[in-house]
């Protein structure tokens, strides 16, 4: 399950009339253990609440389809805007630690989730 947002990436005053695809995202089941919430938007669309709108709809849809699975967003600590979106849609920080396999040894992974994660669920997000 994924969603796409098609919006004008024009001026913030809404004066642009042609809609263009400026981002995408949604939730997908990973390892049959959790919903992975992800989103990516063009730089000109960032900061306009599109990611929050998409993430909110994706979380609601995931909870309707398989409510037994936690909704998780994992990201790097140097991405505070993505962390802000996760928080806005009701996810809380559940883990902070090294980002295994990242070529940058100083990279820190954050795991946000809509509930406490079991050890197995957390381990699944770290793969």
């Amino acid at each position: 399950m994924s969603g796409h947002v098609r919006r004008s990436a024009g001026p913030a005053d809404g004066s642009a009339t042609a809609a263009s695809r400026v981002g995408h995202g949604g939730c997908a089941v990973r390892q049959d253990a959790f919903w992975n919430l992800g989103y990516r938007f063009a730089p000109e669309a960032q900061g306009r609440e599109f990611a929050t709108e998409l993430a909110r709809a994706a979380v609601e849809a995931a909870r309707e389809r398989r409510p037994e699975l936690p909704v998780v967003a994992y990201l790097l600590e140097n991405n505070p805007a993505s962390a802000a979106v996760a928080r806005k849609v009701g996810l809380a920080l559940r883990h902070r630690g090294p980002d295994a396999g990242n070529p940058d040894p100083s990279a820190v992974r954050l795991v946000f989730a809509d509930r406490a994660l079991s050890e197995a669920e957390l381990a699944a997000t770290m793969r």
Side-chain angles (χ1 to χ4, degrees), residues 7-121:
R7 299 281 180 149
S8 171
D13 66 6
S15 61
T17 58
S20 62
R21 182 174 171 183
V22 296
H24 67 276
C27 285
V29 175
R30 299 283 186 242
Q31 303 170 47
D32 206 36
F34 65 97
W35 285 103
N36 178 42
L37 171 63
Y39 32 86
R40 182 172 302 273
F41 284 82
E44 64 271 15
Q46 293 172 6
R48 298 180 59 194
E49 297 295 317
F50 295 152
T52 301
E53 176 186 343
L54 182 143
R56 188 169 285 121
V59 168
E60 288 174 12
R63 287 178 176 153
E64 287 176 13
R65 285 182 174 82
R66 292 199 54 194
E68 75 279 7
L69 296 180
V71 177
V72 173
Y74 51 90
L75 51 117
L76 292 177
E77 188 172 55
N78 66 357
N79 189 349
S82 190
V85 170
R87 286 185 180 97
K88 286 180 187 179
V89 300
L91 307 185
L93 182 63
R94 304 297 179 173
H95 174 81
R96 179 184 182 276
D99 189 33
N102 192 314
D104 177 358
S106 66
V108 175
R109 180 184 289 201
L110 304 178
V111 177
F112 288 83
D114 66 344
R115 64 193 79 167
L117 299 174
S118 70
E119 287 185 32
E121 289 166 335

